[in-house]
Amino acid sequence: MRIIAHLDMDAFFAAVEERDNPRFKGKPIVVGADPVGGKGRGVVSTANYVARKYGIHSAMPISTAWRLAEAARKRGETAAIFTGGHFEKYGKVSAEIMDIIRGYTPLVEESSIDEAYFDLSSAESWEQAKEIAQKIKTEIKDKERLTASVGIGTNKLIAKIASDMQKPDGLTLVTEEQAESFLEPLSVRKIPGIGPKTELLLAKQGVKTIKDLKKWKREEFEDFGGWGNELYNRIRGKDESPIVLEYETKSVGEQETFPEDVADAAKITETMRVLSDSVWRSFGKLKDDKKDFRTVVITVRFADFETKTKSHTLKNIPKSADEFYFEAIKLLLPFFDKRENPKHKKFRLIGVRIVKH
Ligand code: TTP
Ligand code: MG
C-alpha cells in the first residue's frame, strides 16, 4: 500500500509578508495589485485568513477587495493592509520548504510554488507517517516561521483533499479504510477536475455530494467524455497517478493590466517589448531542456473583459529577445485592425508566454 502526503502552505504570500513586516502582525493582509484607493485594476494574489473573514480571496478584483475592506473598517473592524508581492522572495522560501521536505524523503513532487506531494510509503504505519508529517510541519514552523497544512492518504487525490480539510496549520490523516466515508459527504466540487460548470450541471440533476454521484452507474459517466472512467474511480477514492519527481516547467509568461484602457498601438507594442524582454530573461534562467519551447502565445483582454489568445508554433525556439518579441508582435498585429478587433475596443491587458510544445 502507498502512503502519500500533500503539503500546502497556508495563505502563502500573505503569510510571508506578515512574517517580514512587524506592523502587519495579526492584521488582515491582502497581497496583490495596487488598489489605488479603490480604483486599482489588478487582482488579489492572496489574502490571509483574517482578511478572508471580510470575504476577500485570491483572483478577486482588487477594487472589490478594497470595497469589502472599507465596509469592514466602517463596521469598526481592523483596517486591512494592501501590499504588493515580492515574488523572488516567495520563490526562495518555496525552495527552502521543498528542501526541508527532501530531508525526510527523496520522493517529492513540487506541484506549485507552495504545494508538494511526497511519498511516505517507507513509513511502517499510518501513525509513523503522521509523525514524519508533524516533524516536517514543525521544522517549517521553526525555520521559516510559517504554517503548512498536510493531508495523508493512499494516493495523491486523497492527500490533496485531506490537506485542505483543516486549514490553517492542519494535519489530516485518511486511512485506506476511511477513504470512501471521508469522501462521501463532501461536495463533488472537491474532486480535482470538477469545476464550477460541472458542479452546476450536476446540481441540476440533484447531485451535490460525492455520495450522490456514487449512485450513478459506470455507463452514466460516459457523458463526461474522455475522463468519465477516471471520474468514476476518483469519487471512489481511487487514483493511481505517480509522484512526478522533476517539477517540469511547461511555460514562462507574464501579463500586465494597463492602468487605464489603451487604444494607442504604439503604447501597446511598447508594453509588449517590456513584457517579452522580461519573459525572455526568465526563460533564459530555466534549468530545463529548452528545445521544445517553441510556441509563443499572446493574450489580449479588451476593456469589456473579452479575452482572446493567439499562438504560433515555430520550427525552432526563438534565438534572441528580438526574435521572441517579433513573434509576439506578429500575433498582436491582427488585434489592431478588424481581423481580431472589428469594434475597435480598447485594450485592458496584454500578456505573452513561451510554451513547451
Ligand atoms: P494557494 O495555495 O491556492 O493559496 P494560499 O496559500 O494563499 O492559501 P491557502 O491557505 O488556502 O492554501 O496559492 C498559493 C499562492 O499562490 C498564494 O499565496 C498566492 C498565489 N496565488 C495567486 O497569485 N493567485 C491565485 O489566484 C491563487 C489561487 C494563488
Ligand atoms: Mg496554499
Side-chain angles (χ1 to χ4, degrees), residues 93-156:
V93 175
S94 170
E96 287 165 9
I97 289 160
M98 301 301 170
D99 280 347
I100 291 175
I101 302 173
R102 277 197 198 85
Y104 294 85
T105 166
L107 307 173
V108 182
E109 172 180 341
E110 299 179 23
S111 51
S112 86
I113 189 160
D114 84 326
E115 281 174 62
Y117 292 96
F118 46 99
D119 194 318
L120 296 177
S121 305
S122 60
E124 273 153 29
S125 63
W126 289 108
E127 261 327 293
Q128 206 178 325
K130 199 170 169 185
E131 273 168 33
I132 298 170
Q134 185 55 57
K135 279 191 190 153
I136 293 174
K137 274 164 59 74
T138 306
E139 193 171 332
I140 293 173
K141 210 176 271 179
D142 291 348
K143 289 198 176 143
E144 302 289 340
R145 289 182 293 126
L146 295 169
T147 61
S149 295
V150 180
I152 305 175
T154 48
N155 55 46
K156 285 166 74 172

Short mmCIF file of all heavy atoms in Angstrom, two decimals, residues 93-156:
data_model
loop_
_atom_site.label_atom_id
_atom_site.label_comp_id
_atom_site.label_asym_id
_atom_site.label_seq_id
_atom_site.Cartn_x
_atom_site.Cartn_y
_atom_site.Cartn_z
N VAL A 93 11.75 31.17 -0.52
CA VAL A 93 11.14 30.50 0.63
C VAL A 93 10.60 29.13 0.18
O VAL A 93 10.78 28.12 0.87
CB VAL A 93 9.99 31.35 1.23
CG1 VAL A 93 9.27 30.60 2.34
CG2 VAL A 93 10.54 32.68 1.76
N SER A 94 9.99 29.10 -1.00
CA SER A 94 9.45 27.85 -1.53
C SER A 94 10.56 26.81 -1.65
O SER A 94 10.40 25.65 -1.23
CB SER A 94 8.81 28.12 -2.89
OG SER A 94 8.50 26.92 -3.54
N ALA A 95 11.70 27.23 -2.21
CA ALA A 95 12.82 26.28 -2.39
C ALA A 95 13.30 25.75 -1.04
O ALA A 95 13.62 24.57 -0.90
CB ALA A 95 13.96 26.97 -3.14
N GLU A 96 13.32 26.63 -0.02
CA GLU A 96 13.76 26.19 1.32
C GLU A 96 12.78 25.17 1.90
O GLU A 96 13.18 24.19 2.54
CB GLU A 96 13.88 27.40 2.25
CG GLU A 96 15.11 28.26 1.93
CD GLU A 96 15.08 29.64 2.58
OE1 GLU A 96 14.18 29.89 3.42
OE2 GLU A 96 15.93 30.47 2.23
N ILE A 97 11.49 25.40 1.67
CA ILE A 97 10.47 24.46 2.18
C ILE A 97 10.62 23.10 1.50
O ILE A 97 10.58 22.05 2.15
CB ILE A 97 9.06 25.05 1.99
CG1 ILE A 97 8.87 26.22 2.95
CG2 ILE A 97 7.97 23.99 2.22
CD1 ILE A 97 7.76 27.17 2.58
N MET A 98 10.83 23.13 0.18
CA MET A 98 10.99 21.87 -0.55
C MET A 98 12.22 21.11 -0.03
O MET A 98 12.21 19.89 0.08
CB MET A 98 11.13 22.11 -2.06
CG MET A 98 9.94 22.83 -2.70
SD MET A 98 8.37 21.95 -2.49
CE MET A 98 7.17 23.18 -3.06
N ASP A 99 13.28 21.87 0.31
CA ASP A 99 14.48 21.23 0.86
C ASP A 99 14.20 20.59 2.22
O ASP A 99 14.72 19.53 2.53
CB ASP A 99 15.62 22.25 0.99
CG ASP A 99 16.32 22.47 -0.35
OD1 ASP A 99 16.07 21.65 -1.26
OD2 ASP A 99 17.08 23.44 -0.48
N ILE A 100 13.40 21.27 3.02
CA ILE A 100 13.04 20.69 4.33
C ILE A 100 12.34 19.35 4.09
O ILE A 100 12.68 18.33 4.72
CB ILE A 100 12.14 21.65 5.14
CG1 ILE A 100 12.95 22.88 5.58
CG2 ILE A 100 11.53 20.93 6.37
CD1 ILE A 100 12.15 23.96 6.29
N ILE A 101 11.38 19.31 3.17
CA ILE A 101 10.66 18.06 2.91
C ILE A 101 11.63 16.99 2.42
O ILE A 101 11.58 15.83 2.86
CB ILE A 101 9.52 18.27 1.87
CG1 ILE A 101 8.54 19.35 2.37
CG2 ILE A 101 8.77 16.96 1.60
CD1 ILE A 101 7.49 19.75 1.34
N ARG A 102 12.54 17.39 1.53
CA ARG A 102 13.51 16.42 0.99
C ARG A 102 14.43 15.85 2.07
O ARG A 102 15.04 14.81 1.86
CB ARG A 102 14.36 17.05 -0.12
CG ARG A 102 13.65 17.02 -1.42
CD ARG A 102 14.57 17.24 -2.62
NE ARG A 102 13.70 17.60 -3.70
CZ ARG A 102 13.27 18.85 -3.94
NH1 ARG A 102 13.72 19.86 -3.23
NH2 ARG A 102 12.43 19.07 -4.92
N GLY A 103 14.52 16.53 3.20
CA GLY A 103 15.29 15.99 4.32
C GLY A 103 14.63 14.74 4.91
O GLY A 103 15.26 14.00 5.65
N TYR A 104 13.36 14.49 4.58
CA TYR A 104 12.63 13.35 5.14
C TYR A 104 12.36 12.26 4.11
O TYR A 104 12.20 11.10 4.47
CB TYR A 104 11.31 13.82 5.77
CG TYR A 104 11.54 14.70 6.98
CD1 TYR A 104 11.76 16.07 6.84
CD2 TYR A 104 11.58 14.16 8.26
CE1 TYR A 104 12.00 16.88 7.93
CE2 TYR A 104 11.81 14.96 9.36
CZ TYR A 104 12.03 16.33 9.20
OH TYR A 104 12.27 17.11 10.29
N THR A 105 12.24 12.67 2.83
CA THR A 105 12.05 11.68 1.77
C THR A 105 12.55 12.27 0.45
O THR A 105 12.36 13.46 0.20
CB THR A 105 10.56 11.27 1.59
OG1 THR A 105 10.43 10.58 0.35
CG2 THR A 105 9.62 12.46 1.58
N PRO A 106 13.21 11.46 -0.36
CA PRO A 106 13.69 12.00 -1.65
C PRO A 106 12.56 12.08 -2.69
O PRO A 106 12.71 12.72 -3.72
CB PRO A 106 14.73 10.97 -2.09
CG PRO A 106 14.32 9.69 -1.43
CD PRO A 106 13.61 10.06 -0.15
N LEU A 107 11.43 11.44 -2.41
CA LEU A 107 10.37 11.35 -3.41
C LEU A 107 9.39 12.52 -3.26
O LEU A 107 8.34 12.39 -2.64
CB LEU A 107 9.63 10.02 -3.28
CG LEU A 107 10.53 8.79 -3.31
CD1 LEU A 107 9.75 7.53 -3.00
CD2 LEU A 107 11.22 8.67 -4.67
N VAL A 108 9.77 13.66 -3.80
CA VAL A 108 8.99 14.88 -3.63
C VAL A 108 8.59 15.44 -4.99
O VAL A 108 9.44 15.59 -5.86
CB VAL A 108 9.80 15.97 -2.86
CG1 VAL A 108 8.96 17.22 -2.65
CG2 VAL A 108 10.31 15.43 -1.54
N GLU A 109 7.33 15.73 -5.15
CA GLU A 109 6.86 16.40 -6.37
C GLU A 109 6.42 17.81 -6.01
O GLU A 109 5.48 18.01 -5.25
CB GLU A 109 5.67 15.64 -6.99
CG GLU A 109 5.02 16.40 -8.13
CD GLU A 109 3.83 15.65 -8.76
OE1 GLU A 109 3.74 14.42 -8.57
OE2 GLU A 109 3.01 16.31 -9.43
N GLU A 110 7.11 18.80 -6.55
CA GLU A 110 6.73 20.21 -6.31
C GLU A 110 5.61 20.54 -7.28
O GLU A 110 5.86 20.76 -8.45
CB GLU A 110 7.93 21.12 -6.57
CG GLU A 110 9.10 20.83 -5.65
CD GLU A 110 10.29 21.73 -5.92
OE1 GLU A 110 10.12 22.84 -6.48
OE2 GLU A 110 11.41 21.33 -5.57
N SER A 111 4.38 20.55 -6.79
CA SER A 111 3.28 20.73 -7.73
C SER A 111 2.93 22.20 -7.94
O SER A 111 2.29 22.54 -8.93
CB SER A 111 2.06 19.93 -7.31
OG SER A 111 1.76 20.19 -5.97
N SER A 112 3.32 23.08 -7.04
CA SER A 112 3.19 24.52 -7.29
C SER A 112 4.15 25.22 -6.35
O SER A 112 4.88 24.57 -5.60
CB SER A 112 1.76 25.01 -7.06
OG SER A 112 1.55 25.33 -5.69
N ILE A 113 4.12 26.56 -6.35
CA ILE A 113 5.08 27.29 -5.51
C ILE A 113 4.91 26.95 -4.04
O ILE A 113 5.88 26.94 -3.29
CB ILE A 113 5.00 28.82 -5.77
CG1 ILE A 113 6.13 29.56 -5.07
CG2 ILE A 113 3.65 29.39 -5.33
CD1 ILE A 113 6.42 30.93 -5.60
N ASP A 114 3.69 26.62 -3.63
CA ASP A 114 3.51 26.37 -2.19
C ASP A 114 2.92 24.99 -1.89
O ASP A 114 2.39 24.77 -0.81
CB ASP A 114 2.66 27.48 -1.55
CG ASP A 114 1.17 27.27 -1.69
OD1 ASP A 114 0.75 26.73 -2.73
OD2 ASP A 114 0.43 27.64 -0.77
N GLU A 115 3.03 24.08 -2.84
CA GLU A 115 2.46 22.74 -2.65
C GLU A 115 3.44 21.65 -3.06
O GLU A 115 4.14 21.80 -4.06
CB GLU A 115 1.26 22.54 -3.57
CG GLU A 115 -0.01 23.16 -3.12
CD GLU A 115 -1.06 23.00 -4.21
OE1 GLU A 115 -1.40 21.85 -4.53
OE2 GLU A 115 -1.48 24.03 -4.74
N ALA A 116 3.41 20.55 -2.34
CA ALA A 116 4.21 19.39 -2.75
C ALA A 116 3.51 18.10 -2.35
O ALA A 116 2.80 18.05 -1.34
CB ALA A 116 5.58 19.45 -2.09
N TYR A 117 3.68 17.09 -3.20
CA TYR A 117 3.30 15.73 -2.84
C TYR A 117 4.57 15.00 -2.46
O TYR A 117 5.62 15.21 -3.07
CB TYR A 117 2.68 15.00 -4.04
CG TYR A 117 1.35 15.54 -4.49
CD1 TYR A 117 1.28 16.46 -5.53
CD2 TYR A 117 0.17 15.12 -3.88
CE1 TYR A 117 0.05 16.95 -5.96
CE2 TYR A 117 -1.06 15.61 -4.30
CZ TYR A 117 -1.11 16.52 -5.34
OH TYR A 117 -2.32 17.00 -5.76
N PHE A 118 4.49 14.14 -1.45
CA PHE A 118 5.66 13.32 -1.17
C PHE A 118 5.24 11.95 -0.70
O PHE A 118 4.16 11.74 -0.15
CB PHE A 118 6.65 14.00 -0.22
CG PHE A 118 6.02 14.63 1.00
CD1 PHE A 118 6.03 13.96 2.22
CD2 PHE A 118 5.46 15.91 0.94
CE1 PHE A 118 5.47 14.54 3.35
CE2 PHE A 118 4.89 16.49 2.07
CZ PHE A 118 4.90 15.80 3.28
N ASP A 119 6.13 11.00 -0.95
CA ASP A 119 5.84 9.60 -0.71
C ASP A 119 6.36 9.18 0.65
O ASP A 119 7.56 9.33 0.93
CB ASP A 119 6.50 8.78 -1.83
CG ASP A 119 5.96 7.36 -1.86
OD1 ASP A 119 5.77 6.77 -0.78
OD2 ASP A 119 5.72 6.85 -2.97
N LEU A 120 5.47 8.70 1.51
CA LEU A 120 5.89 8.24 2.84
C LEU A 120 5.66 6.73 2.99
O LEU A 120 5.54 6.21 4.10
CB LEU A 120 5.12 9.00 3.94
CG LEU A 120 5.37 10.51 4.03
CD1 LEU A 120 4.49 11.14 5.11
CD2 LEU A 120 6.84 10.80 4.33
N SER A 121 5.63 6.04 1.84
CA SER A 121 5.32 4.60 1.89
C SER A 121 6.33 3.81 2.72
O SER A 121 6.01 2.73 3.22
CB SER A 121 5.30 4.01 0.47
OG SER A 121 4.39 4.72 -0.32
N SER A 122 7.52 4.35 2.87
CA SER A 122 8.52 3.60 3.64
C SER A 122 8.22 3.64 5.15
O SER A 122 8.82 2.89 5.92
CB SER A 122 9.92 4.11 3.35
OG SER A 122 9.98 5.47 3.70
N ALA A 123 7.30 4.51 5.56
CA ALA A 123 6.90 4.50 6.98
C ALA A 123 6.23 3.16 7.25
O ALA A 123 5.57 2.60 6.38
CB ALA A 123 5.94 5.64 7.27
N GLU A 124 6.36 2.68 8.48
CA GLU A 124 5.83 1.34 8.73
C GLU A 124 4.35 1.34 9.09
O GLU A 124 3.71 0.30 9.10
CB GLU A 124 6.65 0.66 9.83
CG GLU A 124 7.86 -0.06 9.22
CD GLU A 124 9.00 -0.18 10.20
OE1 GLU A 124 8.73 -0.22 11.42
OE2 GLU A 124 10.17 -0.21 9.73
N SER A 125 3.83 2.50 9.39
CA SER A 125 2.41 2.56 9.77
C SER A 125 1.88 3.96 9.49
O SER A 125 2.65 4.89 9.25
CB SER A 125 2.27 2.28 11.27
OG SER A 125 2.95 3.30 11.99
N TRP A 126 0.55 4.07 9.52
CA TRP A 126 -0.07 5.39 9.36
C TRP A 126 0.43 6.33 10.45
O TRP A 126 0.69 7.50 10.20
CB TRP A 126 -1.59 5.26 9.45
CG TRP A 126 -2.22 4.59 8.27
CD1 TRP A 126 -2.75 3.34 8.22
CD2 TRP A 126 -2.38 5.15 6.96
NE1 TRP A 126 -3.24 3.08 6.97
CE2 TRP A 126 -3.03 4.16 6.17
CE3 TRP A 126 -2.04 6.37 6.37
CZ2 TRP A 126 -3.34 4.37 4.83
CZ3 TRP A 126 -2.36 6.58 5.05
CH2 TRP A 126 -3.00 5.59 4.29
N GLU A 127 0.54 5.79 11.67
CA GLU A 127 0.99 6.61 12.80
C GLU A 127 2.36 7.20 12.53
O GLU A 127 2.63 8.36 12.79
CB GLU A 127 1.02 5.77 14.09
CG GLU A 127 -0.20 5.94 14.98
CD GLU A 127 -0.82 7.33 14.96
OE1 GLU A 127 -0.14 8.26 15.45
OE2 GLU A 127 -1.95 7.50 14.46
N GLN A 128 3.24 6.33 12.00
CA GLN A 128 4.60 6.79 11.75
C GLN A 128 4.62 7.84 10.64
O GLN A 128 5.36 8.83 10.72
CB GLN A 128 5.48 5.61 11.38
CG GLN A 128 6.93 5.86 11.72
CD GLN A 128 7.80 4.66 11.40
OE1 GLN A 128 7.37 3.51 11.55
NE2 GLN A 128 9.01 4.92 10.94
N ALA A 129 3.79 7.65 9.62
CA ALA A 129 3.71 8.64 8.54
C ALA A 129 3.25 9.98 9.10
O ALA A 129 3.77 11.04 8.76
CB ALA A 129 2.74 8.15 7.47
N LYS A 130 2.29 9.90 10.03
CA LYS A 130 1.78 11.13 10.64
C LYS A 130 2.87 11.83 11.45
O LYS A 130 2.98 13.06 11.41
CB LYS A 130 0.59 10.76 11.54
CG LYS A 130 -0.30 11.91 11.86
CD LYS A 130 -1.57 11.45 12.56
CE LYS A 130 -2.32 12.65 13.11
NZ LYS A 130 -3.48 12.27 13.90
N GLU A 131 3.68 11.02 12.13
CA GLU A 131 4.77 11.63 12.90
C GLU A 131 5.75 12.36 12.00
O GLU A 131 6.24 13.44 12.33
CB GLU A 131 5.51 10.55 13.70
CG GLU A 131 4.87 10.28 15.05
CD GLU A 131 5.43 9.03 15.71
OE1 GLU A 131 6.63 8.73 15.51
OE2 GLU A 131 4.64 8.34 16.40
N ILE A 132 6.07 11.74 10.85
CA ILE A 132 7.00 12.40 9.92
C ILE A 132 6.40 13.71 9.42
O ILE A 132 7.07 14.75 9.40
CB ILE A 132 7.34 11.47 8.72
CG1 ILE A 132 8.03 10.20 9.22
CG2 ILE A 132 8.23 12.20 7.71
CD1 ILE A 132 8.19 9.12 8.16
N ALA A 133 5.12 13.67 9.06
CA ALA A 133 4.47 14.89 8.57
C ALA A 133 4.50 15.97 9.65
O ALA A 133 4.74 17.15 9.37
CB ALA A 133 3.03 14.58 8.16
N GLN A 134 4.27 15.56 10.89
CA GLN A 134 4.30 16.51 12.00
C GLN A 134 5.69 17.13 12.14
O GLN A 134 5.84 18.33 12.37
CB GLN A 134 3.87 15.83 13.30
CG GLN A 134 3.75 16.77 14.49
CD GLN A 134 2.82 17.95 14.22
OE1 GLN A 134 1.65 17.78 13.90
NE2 GLN A 134 3.34 19.18 14.31
N LYS A 135 6.73 16.29 11.98
CA LYS A 135 8.10 16.81 12.08
C LYS A 135 8.36 17.83 10.98
O LYS A 135 9.03 18.85 11.21
CB LYS A 135 9.11 15.66 11.94
CG LYS A 135 9.30 14.89 13.23
CD LYS A 135 10.48 13.97 13.11
CE LYS A 135 10.52 13.03 14.29
NZ LYS A 135 11.17 11.76 14.00
N ILE A 136 7.88 17.55 9.78
CA ILE A 136 8.08 18.49 8.66
C ILE A 136 7.38 19.82 8.98
O ILE A 136 7.96 20.90 8.82
CB ILE A 136 7.55 17.88 7.34
CG1 ILE A 136 8.41 16.69 6.93
CG2 ILE A 136 7.52 18.93 6.22
CD1 ILE A 136 7.92 15.90 5.72
N LYS A 137 6.16 19.73 9.48
CA LYS A 137 5.44 20.95 9.84
C LYS A 137 6.19 21.75 10.90
O LYS A 137 6.32 22.97 10.81
CB LYS A 137 4.04 20.60 10.37
CG LYS A 137 2.98 20.44 9.28
CD LYS A 137 1.74 19.72 9.80
CE LYS A 137 1.08 20.44 10.97
NZ LYS A 137 0.34 21.66 10.58
N THR A 138 6.71 21.03 11.90
CA THR A 138 7.42 21.70 12.99
C THR A 138 8.70 22.36 12.47
O THR A 138 9.03 23.49 12.83
CB THR A 138 7.76 20.69 14.11
OG1 THR A 138 6.54 20.06 14.49
CG2 THR A 138 8.40 21.36 15.30
N GLU A 139 9.41 21.64 11.59
CA GLU A 139 10.65 22.22 11.06
C GLU A 139 10.36 23.48 10.23
O GLU A 139 11.09 24.47 10.28
CB GLU A 139 11.42 21.17 10.24
CG GLU A 139 12.84 21.63 9.96
CD GLU A 139 13.72 20.55 9.33
OE1 GLU A 139 13.47 19.35 9.57
OE2 GLU A 139 14.66 20.94 8.60
N ILE A 140 9.28 23.44 9.46
CA ILE A 140 8.90 24.63 8.67
C ILE A 140 8.55 25.79 9.61
O ILE A 140 8.93 26.93 9.39
CB ILE A 140 7.71 24.31 7.71
CG1 ILE A 140 8.16 23.32 6.63
CG2 ILE A 140 7.15 25.58 7.08
CD1 ILE A 140 7.05 22.81 5.72
N LYS A 141 7.86 25.45 10.70
CA LYS A 141 7.48 26.50 11.66
C LYS A 141 8.72 27.09 12.33
O LYS A 141 8.85 28.30 12.45
CB LYS A 141 6.53 25.92 12.70
CG LYS A 141 5.56 26.94 13.25
CD LYS A 141 4.56 26.32 14.21
CE LYS A 141 3.32 25.81 13.51
NZ LYS A 141 2.35 25.21 14.42
N ASP A 142 9.65 26.22 12.72
CA ASP A 142 10.85 26.71 13.40
C ASP A 142 11.75 27.50 12.47
O ASP A 142 12.23 28.57 12.82
CB ASP A 142 11.64 25.52 13.97
CG ASP A 142 10.91 24.86 15.13
OD1 ASP A 142 9.92 25.48 15.61
OD2 ASP A 142 11.28 23.73 15.53
N LYS A 143 12.01 26.94 11.29
CA LYS A 143 13.00 27.57 10.40
C LYS A 143 12.42 28.71 9.59
O LYS A 143 13.10 29.69 9.30
CB LYS A 143 13.57 26.53 9.44
CG LYS A 143 14.49 25.53 10.13
CD LYS A 143 15.35 24.82 9.10
CE LYS A 143 16.34 23.89 9.78
NZ LYS A 143 16.54 22.65 9.03
N GLU A 144 11.18 28.58 9.17
CA GLU A 144 10.61 29.60 8.26
C GLU A 144 9.57 30.48 8.96
O GLU A 144 9.11 31.46 8.37
CB GLU A 144 9.94 28.92 7.06
CG GLU A 144 10.87 28.04 6.24
CD GLU A 144 11.89 28.85 5.45
OE1 GLU A 144 11.65 30.06 5.25
OE2 GLU A 144 12.92 28.28 5.06
N ARG A 145 9.19 30.12 10.15
CA ARG A 145 8.12 30.82 10.86
C ARG A 145 6.86 30.94 10.00
O ARG A 145 6.27 32.01 9.84
CB ARG A 145 8.62 32.19 11.36
CG ARG A 145 9.61 32.03 12.53
CD ARG A 145 10.06 33.36 13.07
NE ARG A 145 10.86 34.07 12.10
CZ ARG A 145 10.62 35.33 11.70
NH1 ARG A 145 9.62 36.01 12.22
NH2 ARG A 145 11.39 35.89 10.81
N LEU A 146 6.50 29.82 9.39
CA LEU A 146 5.30 29.75 8.56
C LEU A 146 4.56 28.46 8.88
O LEU A 146 5.19 27.48 9.31
CB LEU A 146 5.68 29.73 7.07
CG LEU A 146 6.35 30.99 6.52
CD1 LEU A 146 6.90 30.71 5.12
CD2 LEU A 146 5.38 32.16 6.49
N THR A 147 3.24 28.44 8.64
CA THR A 147 2.50 27.20 8.87
C THR A 147 2.09 26.57 7.55
O THR A 147 1.87 27.24 6.55
CB THR A 147 1.23 27.43 9.72
OG1 THR A 147 0.36 28.31 9.04
CG2 THR A 147 1.57 28.00 11.08
N ALA A 148 2.00 25.24 7.60
CA ALA A 148 1.60 24.46 6.43
C ALA A 148 0.49 23.51 6.86
O ALA A 148 0.38 23.17 8.04
CB ALA A 148 2.80 23.63 5.95
N SER A 149 -0.32 23.09 5.90
CA SER A 149 -1.32 22.06 6.18
C SER A 149 -0.98 20.82 5.36
O SER A 149 -0.62 20.93 4.20
CB SER A 149 -2.72 22.56 5.83
OG SER A 149 -3.05 23.63 6.69
N VAL A 150 -1.12 19.66 6.01
CA VAL A 150 -0.74 18.41 5.35
C VAL A 150 -1.90 17.43 5.38
O VAL A 150 -2.63 17.35 6.37
CB VAL A 150 0.50 17.79 6.05
CG1 VAL A 150 0.90 16.47 5.36
CG2 VAL A 150 1.68 18.74 6.05
N GLY A 151 -2.06 16.72 4.27
CA GLY A 151 -3.03 15.62 4.22
C GLY A 151 -2.29 14.34 3.88
O GLY A 151 -1.32 14.36 3.12
N ILE A 152 -2.74 13.23 4.47
CA ILE A 152 -2.10 11.94 4.20
C ILE A 152 -3.17 10.94 3.80
O ILE A 152 -4.24 10.86 4.42
CB ILE A 152 -1.37 11.41 5.46
CG1 ILE A 152 -0.36 12.46 5.96
CG2 ILE A 152 -0.65 10.09 5.17
CD1 ILE A 152 0.32 12.07 7.27
N GLY A 153 -2.87 10.17 2.74
CA GLY A 153 -3.82 9.15 2.28
C GLY A 153 -3.11 8.11 1.44
O GLY A 153 -1.88 8.09 1.38
N THR A 154 -3.90 7.27 0.77
CA THR A 154 -3.27 6.21 -0.02
C THR A 154 -2.86 6.68 -1.41
O THR A 154 -2.23 5.93 -2.15
CB THR A 154 -4.26 5.04 -0.26
OG1 THR A 154 -5.49 5.61 -0.68
CG2 THR A 154 -4.44 4.19 0.97
N ASN A 155 -3.25 7.87 -1.79
CA ASN A 155 -2.87 8.37 -3.11
C ASN A 155 -2.92 9.90 -3.12
O ASN A 155 -3.30 10.54 -2.14
CB ASN A 155 -3.78 7.77 -4.20
CG ASN A 155 -5.25 8.04 -3.91
OD1 ASN A 155 -5.63 9.16 -3.56
ND2 ASN A 155 -6.07 7.01 -4.03
N LYS A 156 -2.53 10.49 -4.26
CA LYS A 156 -2.44 11.94 -4.37
C LYS A 156 -3.81 12.60 -4.21
O LYS A 156 -3.93 13.66 -3.60
CB LYS A 156 -1.81 12.33 -5.73
CG LYS A 156 -0.32 12.09 -5.75
CD LYS A 156 0.25 12.14 -7.16
CE LYS A 156 0.35 13.54 -7.71
NZ LYS A 156 1.09 13.56 -9.01
#
